[in-house]
Amino acid sequence: MRHFKLESLASKLNWRFAGISSVFALFLCTSLLAQVPTEYYKQNCVSCHTIGGGRLTGPDLKDLSKRQDREWLVNWLMDPEGILKSGDPYAVKMQKESRGAVMTRSPGMTKSLAIALLDLIDEESKLEKSQFAGSQISDRPLLQEDIDEGLALFMGSTKLKNGGPSCVSCHVVNSLDGLSGGRLGLNLTRAYARLEGRKGLSAWLISPPSKMMNPIYKKYPIDEEEILPLVAFLKNETEKDAPENTSAMINFLLFGIGGAVLLLVLFDLIWNKRFRAVREPMVKGN
Amino acid sequence: MNENTFFDYLNLFWFTILPYVALFTFFIATIQRYRGEAFTYSSLSSQFLENKVHFWAMVPFHYGILTVLFGHLIGFLCPAELLAWNSEPIRLYIFEVTGFIAAIFTLVGLFNIIIRRTSNARIKMVTTTADWVVIAIIVFQVITGVYTAVFHSWGSSWFASSMAPYLWSIVQFSPEIAYVTPLPIMVKLHIISAFVIVTLFPFTRLVHVLVVPNPYLWRKPQVVRWYWNRKKIRTTSFKIDRK
Amino acid sequence: MDVRSQISMVFHLDKCIGCHTCSIACKNIWTDRKGTEYMWWNNVETKPGTGYPTKWEDQEKYKGGWEVKNGNLKLKSTGKARIIPNIFHNPHQPSLDDYYEPWTYKYDELFTAPEGNDQPTAKPISMITGEPMDIKAGPNWDDDLSGSPIYAENDPNFDNLSEEQKAQMFAIERLVFFYFPRICNHCLNPACVASCPSGALHKRGEDGIVLVDQERCRGWRSCIPACPYKKTYYNWQTGKSEKCILCFPRIESGQAPACFHSCVGRIRYLGVLLYDADMIDEIAKLPDNELVEAQRRMILDPNDPEVIRAARENGVHDSVIESAQKSPIYKFVKEWGIALPPHIEYRTLPMLFYVPPMLPVMTSMDGDAKKNMIEGMFPDFDKARAPMEFLANLFSAGNTGVLKYTLKKQMAIRQYRRAVTVGDITMEAAKKMLLEADCSVEAAEEIYKLTTLCTFDDRFVIPPAHREEAIEMMKDPLEYKQQVGFGLREEPMRGA
Ligand code: HEM
Ligand code: SF4
Ligand code: SF4
């Protein structure tokens, strides 16, 4: 006969359903941090827009209010894709100028934040040189040294000055041998061509608009002095246009599988004397 | 609701809400289970019923998965050092290949675990639904991981620069999901299933990981338990003469 | 001096009739649960034979017990840091096949079989899988030398015997065997405890009983290879180890353990010994042939005022000291020196002692004269049916000296009693034999009484447990019968 035991039932309920209570943990993370416009601009806008520094991916925002009215701008900030879809002629024209790049709704955008941001842009436009004027890349000719330095930066053997991860973490170019480069991002062999040359590529690198790279390089931007060599290196790659290194991935697989097999053999040897059976061999042996 | 906000909410769910649900469930339920039902904490070993395939299942699996976990832990705890290590391509390749070998070990182990649990009559007797849930989710986790390692390399580097800041932002209660939302779908699945594992953890045999012996390495070999105070002189007898 | 008390045991092997009543008593109380079907905390083996689990004494394979390495005691299996790389798959753990697959019969087929010309039979089915099975082994498969060409001949205790000696033992007309009942020895230097990574295995301070704390056991299973006597068992259902608990709930209420209580041959004795725990480390490291005597040195005289003082200072209850003074174990082991520990070379310092068997008739008649006698008094032990080395391997780590001493004494007492009751030997000759065997007439009488005319109270001198002083009282174990093992508060289950 089984006794019903309240005590043990209670302890069971306790941990099986403790999980449910943790759903309340949600509340902890719903409180959004109050946003300061300057900080917000730095985190979310500088990658594509300067104020008085010329166009990057997006247009220069200097004297924005002179070009468009407030209400339109607030709506745009709240839902850029929606406006584009509605076929608004101004928006379509902008997209063309940006070579098709699309602006997305920035995280946490609210009406009051949008107004605060527009105020900030107006303020900054009035200044001689805004803190968001961006940087200017020299247009001196590219040398062989630049290409070599660019390769070192790409591979990481020269560290990026501000601590960002090297390009090879995620990118491959065709001329790399061995196990080659990373494959999280695109193949950059033709990036120079894709971004229409030096100016476009530099602008891209100053503040990469890629969603993947953006948060990283916002924190650890690529230094102005590193951009030129990288551009030189990528230009060289586009010009060489080497065939793709298809064996790299296969090699990686082979190294892994081969290593695993060797190690399994080694484990078998290390534990060669492990206990298998005593009775059966004894009975069979007789 | 337009398409974008829909994805915003999805991302919010998978990468902000789920992690906290996972972490809180993990802590509350493991502690409560330990206090309330310590008896259920066991490796639930089945070596006794079958010990030959067992070697080829348990040893590769655990050596593999612990190495892989250790790699993730390094990426989480010292991303800068990891990036420095990886700055020399040959070292990067060594790190990656080591991790990949460990992943294959894990797969070999899992393969044998499944073989053992489906083919041996005795082992079937000690196989429960919970075992299959655990095995399934780990298989999923390892396969998405291997896919990531091969097709989205070099994880060891981008883990340090994308995943580590994201995970730290979770720990610091100010989640920055911009780091993970643009990742490829397989990587996202890998992250999500990791949080699912953490959530299920307290309710499965996985809790054995929490009770790995460590005081053993430092304690005296022999354990004696006294159920009474040793230094109390006890006497009820009249026969022994006390002077 | 760190005086502690230890409940210890003596089994008098010449009295064991191999009835297995002890095993059944134990099984019915403790191991009739799922996951424990194969466990026999008490089992009875035939020697020579391979025992249960098969060839458990072969430590080359099973890696039980301690060894001395560079002057340090080390577990042969996985102590300390060695547990880490070996925790996932224990390289020395035996599997079910080395014990036996437990089975029952499909009795209902006796009733449900259709009418026919044959007697219906009950098919054997595995108690693990429930499937029909071929029975290939059992807990006493080689009982009474059955299958001896396989089993008896593989007895590890033959390992250092010459071919000649082995051949002699198996010659049909000389065939000899004896029973060897075994339980956990509740050792002073238990390998099982030292190997337990979770600290679940422990020795109780008050009475030295070695237990597995079920709430702390995590199923790392290092105790199973570590115990050289294979007396810790793995419960495959709960994922925890279990072992003989010396029926502590019975002992605490003043009753002898079930196997002791039920023993038909009355071969079992139980009582308290006081010993010096400070000496454990040093003694466990001595060379093999010194171990038996060294272990006796650790056992203290409970009548020595110095010992009594030290014991009381250590919190040993006066009533326990008193019990130690009456302990039959103290007499068998220390006063008379006729009980020996099993395989003390495993260095766990077992606290279960055996009075070795004399084995039937060591002399034979040649016409009117007795053959094989030394000086016409004692039989020539070297010509005994079972080679002395065989017994010495079992009971004295190969030291035939201490072994012969116990046999000689027993022989002398038999002759003495023969002089008293039958009278075909002169008292003078008998006393000379006693003298030769280092035994006074009083001791001879006492040994005789304790061996043959003993009552419950003579055999079991159980100290009061003083549970009223314990920190934590166990719940009533009967309330949980059939539901859990012993004293657990949850239902054992497998799964999460
Ligand atoms: C931290 C150190 C760990 C130790 C000491 C350890 C130890 C063990 C042991 C002794 C077993 C029982 C094996 C048997 O059947 O005899 C086991 C099983 C298992 N472990 Fe671990 N483990 C560890 C870490 C992990 C980790 C990190 C995972 C995965 C997240 C894991 C997943 C499993 C699974 C799934 C099983 C059951 C396999 C089966 O279905 O048979 N373990 N572990
Ligand atoms: S006989 Fe084995 S289980 Fe018993 S105390 Fe000694 S080592 Fe431990
Ligand atoms: S009950 Fe006694 S006589 Fe019978 S086998 Fe057990 S120990 Fe021997």
Side-chain angles (χ1 to χ4, degrees), chain A residues 8 11-12 14-16 18-19 21-23 25-26 28-29 33 79 81 105 155-157 159 163 165 168-170 177-184 211-212 215-216 219 249 252-253 255-257 259-260 263-264 267-268 271 274-277, chain B residues 2 4-5 8 16-17 20-21 24-25 28-29 32-33 36-37 51-52 55-56 59-60 63 83-84 87 89 92-93 96-97 100-101 104-105 108 149-154 157-158 161-162 165 173-175 178-179 182-184 187 202-203:
Chain A
S8 98
S11 76
K12 222 160 260 171
N14 260 338
W15 68 268
R16 295 264 154 81
S21 68
S22 24
V23 174
L26 289 179
L28 271 169
C29 49
L33 291 177
D79 183 15
E81 283 137 310
R105 181 169 180 268
M155 295 304 290
S157 35
K159 264 201 247 168
V168 76
S169 307
C170 304
D177 50 12
L179 296 181
S180 191
R183 287 183 195 84
L184 183 68
K211 280 192 187 166
M212 190 67 242
I216 304 170
K219 228 182 200 159
M249 196 187 285
F252 182 64
L253 284 172
F255 270 119
I257 294 170
L263 215 56
L264 283 175
F267 274 34
D268 193 29
W271 278 288
R274 64 186 181 270
F275 190 104
R276 290 174 172 94
Chain B
N2 76 25
N4 266 294
T5 34
D8 275 355
T16 330
I17 298 180
Y20 286 105
V21 171
F24 277 80
T25 311
I28 295 175
Q32 195 51 38
R33 180 172 175 180
E37 276 184 42
N51 68 350
K52 294 189 182 86
F55 176 82
W56 294 111
V59 175
Y63 275 84
L83 281 176
S87 63
L92 165 71
Y93 298 156
E96 283 283 341
V97 170
F100 192 55
I101 291 176
I104 292 178
F105 250 54
V108 170
V150 176
F151 297 102
H152 302 310
S153 52
W154 301 120
S157 287
W158 60 253
S161 58
S162 284
F173 293 108
S174 57
Y179 284 109
L183 284 167
V187 186
F203 310 99

Side-chain angles (χ1 to χ4, degrees), chain B residues 39 44-45 47 219 227 235, chain C residues 80 206 234 240 318 494:
Chain B
F39 182 76
L44 289 180
S45 168
Q47 183 178 355
R219 74 151 209 246
Y227 284 92
T235 169
Chain C
K80 292 282 163 186
E206 291 77 17
Y234 184 75
K240 310 258 166 165
D318 280 354
R494 204 175 172 102

Side-chain angles (χ1 to χ4, degrees), chain B residues 43 45-47 54 58 61-62 65-66 69 113 117 134-135 138 205-206 208-209 212, chain C residues 87-88 220-221:
Chain B
S43 78
S45 168
S46 54
Q47 183 178 355
H54 185 273
M58 288 304 154
F61 172 73
H62 280 96
I65 201 154
L66 289 174
L69 274 181
I113 286 177
R117 289 212 176 265
V134 169
I135 291 170
I138 294 181
R205 66 186 295 161
L206 288 179
H208 73 280
V209 181
V212 291
Chain C
I87 198 165
F88 314 112
W220 303 127
R221 65 217 177 287

Side-chain angles (χ1 to χ4, degrees), chain B residues 176-226:
Chain B
E176 289 182 40
I177 59 173
Y179 284 109
V180 287
T181 47
L183 284 167
I185 182 70
M186 279 307 225
V187 186
K188 277 182 165 171
L189 287 177
H190 189 69
I191 301 172
I192 292 169
S193 106
F195 287 127
V196 172
I197 291 180
V198 174
T199 317
L200 294 181
F201 192 97
F203 310 99
T204 63
R205 66 186 295 161
L206 288 179
V207 290
H208 73 280
V209 181
L210 300 178
V211 287
V212 291
N214 70 72
Y216 179 59
L217 303 179
W218 292 282
R219 74 151 209 246
K220 281 193 293 183
Q222 297 299 358
V223 180
V224 179
R225 287 196 198 167
W226 297 91

Side-chain angles (χ1 to χ4, degrees), chain B residues 39 42-45 47-48 54 63 122 216 219 222-223 225 227-228 230-231 234-237 242, chain C residues 80 89-90 96 101 189 193-194 196 203 205-206 213 218-219 234 239-240 314 318 469 471 494:
Chain B
F39 182 76
S42 164
S43 78
L44 289 180
S45 168
Q47 183 178 355
F48 176 70
H54 185 273
Y63 275 84
R122 289 181 192 163
Y216 179 59
R219 74 151 209 246
Q222 297 299 358
V223 180
R225 287 196 198 167
Y227 284 92
W228 67 29
R230 280 200 73 191
K231 288 302 159 197
R234 301 183 158 75
T235 169
T236 49
S237 156
R242 279 196 287 160
Chain C
K80 292 282 163 186
H89 171 91
N90 193 310
L96 183 69
E101 181 160 356
N189 186 31
V193 173
C196 174
K203 202 169 172 62
E206 291 77 17
D213 182 340
R218 301 288 172 241
Y234 184 75
K240 310 258 166 165
N314 261 358
D318 280 354
E469 306 234 10
I471 299 163
R494 204 175 172 102

Side-chain angles (χ1 to χ4, degrees), chain A residues 208-239:
Chain A
S210 139
K211 280 192 187 166
M212 190 67 242
M213 294 169 73
N214 182 293
I216 304 170
Y217 291 96
K218 204 154 54 186
K219 228 182 200 159
Y220 313 107
I222 304 174
D223 195 77
E224 282 165 36
E225 282 168 24
E226 290 162 341
I227 289 185
L228 201 67
L230 282 171
V231 170
F233 169 71
L234 289 176
K235 175 163 185 262
N236 188 38
E237 283 301 315
T238 301
E239 282 160 4

Side-chain angles (χ1 to χ4, degrees), chain C residues 202-269:
Chain C
H202 62 280
K203 202 169 172 62
R204 295 215 298 191
E206 291 77 17
D207 50 18
I209 296 178
V210 176
L211 296 176
V212 187
D213 182 340
Q214 295 288 302
E215 303 252 315
R216 289 276 300 272
C217 174
R218 301 288 172 241
W220 303 127
R221 65 217 177 287
S222 14
C223 53
I224 291 145
C227 170
Y229 304 94
K230 290 294 158 290
K231 281 296 170 190
T232 38
Y233 299 88
Y234 184 75
N235 180 326
W236 54 268
Q237 172 64 20
T238 59
K240 310 258 166 165
S241 289
E242 297 182 12
K243 64 180 284 302
C244 160
I245 58 175
L246 204 59
C247 288
F248 72 81
R250 288 177 61 95
I251 290 203
E252 283 171 9
S253 54
Q255 292 170 281
C259 54
F260 286 69
H261 188 106
S262 62
C263 177
V264 173
R266 303 179 183 185
I267 80 158
R268 299 179 176 221
Y269 302 80

